[in-house]
């Protein structure tokens, strides 16, 4: 077991601070009678633990912690490792976050961001006068002004080619706005920019979870750095930019979070605006509300909403009767699109029955396409001719060589039959069979439907198709 696996199974709710995993209550003392919170810490770098409550004071190596709870610590190469989540080493930001200057406040006010929203997100001013956008993991971190990541930008309209945002190097890029989120609300909205994030939060009066990605539409470091926070949400909603990079980002999010329900926007609801802040600027809170209302769950590929399936009247579906009254009454005939499987022992008349179905179809003015892997085309024609002619038109004679009775039709009736089923019955040409006959049969059937309007397809039998 690793530190993260132990935390996920034994510590209950916990937060991360640097290399430490800090649960709400100590797993040994439970916070004591006063229910002291956040007194226990498990260090994933030093592989140690301790409780700061004097009456508890439990501490030691991770192996001892595992042993106390009947678990076994993972060990590799003489050191204990976390195989569930290998975390990159980061440093804490060192830049000061001063009170917003009049210039910073004026710039954000001009973009319709209120001072109350700025305060909620902890917006400040850097030493050089740029706007500071601090990223906090928790509300406690925000109260203690302990950011994990800080981004900066000039409080003015930027010139072409000028960097839009910069970040303090070496810090861990996490989602902006996490400290204001509550997983119990059940949906996490993702934007592409900090000011977009504040715009949505402000328009929704702080009643929704909304964050901004730390490194633009193509950066996904936040998937790893915020893995624990993201686990708390089964539903993600995209409120990104309505441009090509934004739509590409949406596709990437859908692909990366296939275990979650991703809600997607109707970009038409942006009314020509590019992003959330522009929507707020041009259309106010109602514009944001309109986009939020139009964000819907991404449909699950391969599933249909039954209510949206077209209702059908079975009497309106094309069908071919078998010619056996009782069977047609029981089944309704062979409906277009249906698959009928006729089974029986060898020599019991399956092929003769199928030939009769082909004749019945022509009688009903339905075109037929037939594959027979066992019978050559001339023998197939012979068999179908006997079925089509009827008993009264079939002649018989004795084979002088074998003494067997042979059935046949006179030339006049053969000519008549050619005229009757000409361009109505089509046979798959076995002479073109190859290694991929299985796919080729269905390809020819498709062409027969499109070009010759065949509606009944007979395969006698599928086991003879090579490559199937």
């Amino acid at each position: 077991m690793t530190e993260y696996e132990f935390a996920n199974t034994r510590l209950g709710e916990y937060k991360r601070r640097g290399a430490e995993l800090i649960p709400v209550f100590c797993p040994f003392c439970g916070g004591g009678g006063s229910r002291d919170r956040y007194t226990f810490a498990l260090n994933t770098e030093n592989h140690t633990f301790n409780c700061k409550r004097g009456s508890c004071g439990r501490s030691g190596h991770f192996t001892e912690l595992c042993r106390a709870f009947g678990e076994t610590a993972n060990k590799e190469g003489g050191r204990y490792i976390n195989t569930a989540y290998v975390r990159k080493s980061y440093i804490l930001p060192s830049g000061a976050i001063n009170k917003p200057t009049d210039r910073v406040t004026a710039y954000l006010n001009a973009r319709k961001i209120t001072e109350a929203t700025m305060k909620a997100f902890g917006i400040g001013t850097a030493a050089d006068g740029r706007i500071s956008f601090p990223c906090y993991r928790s509300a406690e971190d925000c109260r203690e002004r302990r950011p994990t990541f800080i981004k900066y930008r000039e409080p003015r309209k930027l010139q072409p080619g000028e960097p839009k945002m910069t970040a303090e190097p070496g810090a861990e890029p996490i989602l902006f706005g996490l400290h204001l989120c509550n997983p119990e609300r059940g949906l996490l909205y993702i934007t592409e920019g900090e000011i977009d994030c504040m715009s949505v939060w402000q328009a929704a009066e702080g009643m929704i979870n909304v964050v901004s990605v730390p490194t633009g539409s193509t950066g996904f470091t936040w998937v790893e750095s915020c893995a624990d926070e993201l686990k708390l949400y089964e539903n993600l909603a995209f409120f990104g930019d309505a441009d090509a990079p934004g739509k590409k980002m949406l596709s990437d999010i859908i692909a990366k979070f296939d275990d979650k329900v991703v809600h997607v926007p109707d970009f038409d609801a942006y009314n020509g605006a590019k992003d959330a802040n522009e929507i707020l600027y041009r259309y106010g809170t109602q514009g944001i509300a309109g986009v939020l209302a139009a964000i819907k769950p991404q449909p699950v590929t391969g599933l249909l909403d039954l209510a949206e399936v077209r209702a059908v009247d079975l009497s309106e579906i094309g069908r071919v009767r078998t010619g056996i009254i009782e069977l047609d009454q029981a089944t309704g005939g062979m409906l277009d699109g249906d698959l009928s499987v006729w089974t029986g022992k060898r020599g019991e008349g399956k092929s003769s029955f199928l030939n009769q179905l082909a004749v019945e179809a022509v009688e009903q003015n339905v075109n037929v396409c037939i594959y027979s892997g066992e019978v050559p085309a001339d023998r197939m024609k012979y068999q179908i001719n006997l079925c089509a002619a009827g008993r009264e038109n079939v002649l018989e004679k004795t084979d002088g060589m074998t003494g067997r009775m042979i059935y046949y039709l006179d030339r006049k009736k053969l000519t008549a039959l050619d005229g009757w089923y000409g361009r109505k019955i089509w046979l798959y040409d076995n002479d073109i069979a190859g290694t991929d006959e299985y796919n080729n049969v269905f390809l020819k059937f498709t062409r027969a439907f499109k070009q010759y309007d065949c509606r009944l397809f007979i395969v006698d039998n599928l086991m003879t198709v090579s490559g199937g």
Side-chain angles (χ1 to χ4, degrees), residues 50-64:
N50 75 294
C51 178
K52 296 178 182 178
R53 288 189 71 250
S55 59
C56 177
R58 294 290 294 268
S59 64
H61 196 272
F62 178 54
T63 55
E64 299 172 76

Side-chain angles (χ1 to χ4, degrees), residues 59 70 85 87 97 103 105 122 138 146 158 164 169 175 185 196 211 233 299 334 385 393 431:
S59 64
Y85 177 77
R87 184 171 178 172
I97 304 175
R103 188 173 176 225
T105 300
S138 67
R146 194 169 51 222
L158 301 176
K164 191 172 184 179
L175 295 165
R185 296 187 183 123
D196 292 330
V211 295
Y233 298 91
M334 295 179 290
N385 282 344
N393 294 307
D431 290 340

Side-chain angles (χ1 to χ4, degrees), residues 220-241:
F220 283 90
T221 54
W222 54 274
V223 176
E224 179 180 351
S225 63
C226 296
D228 289 340
E229 289 81 5
L230 292 168
K231 286 178 183 177
L232 303 176
Y233 298 91
E234 293 184 0
N235 291 265
L236 304 179
F238 184 75
F239 197 151
D241 295 0

Side-chain angles (χ1 to χ4, degrees), residues 65 162 188 201 230 275-276 306 308 380 396 409 427 458:
L65 179 64
E162 189 176 4
L188 181 66
W201 185 90
L230 292 168
D275 53 37
L306 182 61
E308 296 182 0
M380 177 62 70
E396 58 183 43
L409 303 177
L427 301 181
I458 297 174

Side-chain angles (χ1 to χ4, degrees), residues 93-100 121-127 130-136 142 145-152 168:
S94 59
I97 304 175
N98 302 311
K99 181 181 178 180
F121 282 88
I123 301 303
T125 306
R130 292 182 298 168
I131 307 173
S132 297
F133 296 90
C135 300
Y136 300 105
C142 182
R145 292 295 183 264
R146 194 169 51 222
T148 300
F149 189 62
I150 305 177
K151 294 179 68 175
Y152 307 95
E168 193 156 337

Side-chain angles (χ1 to χ4, degrees), residues 111-179:
R111 295 187 64 166
K112 305 300 182 183
I113 301 300
T114 67
E115 292 179 42
T117 298
M118 293 168 55
K119 182 177 180 181
F121 282 88
I123 301 303
T125 306
D128 59 4
R130 292 182 298 168
I131 307 173
S132 297
F133 296 90
C135 300
Y136 300 105
R137 281 197 182 275
S138 67
E140 181 183 353
D141 286 347
C142 182
R143 286 193 299 270
E144 297 179 5
R145 292 295 183 264
R146 194 169 51 222
T148 300
F149 189 62
I150 305 177
K151 294 179 68 175
Y152 307 95
R153 71 155 288 157
E154 294 290 344
R156 57 174 171 78
K157 185 176 181 179
L158 301 176
Q159 300 300 316
E162 189 176 4
K164 191 172 184 179
M165 286 277 190
T166 59
E168 193 156 337
E172 184 176 20
I174 66 170
L175 295 165
F176 174 79
L178 275 178
H179 67 288

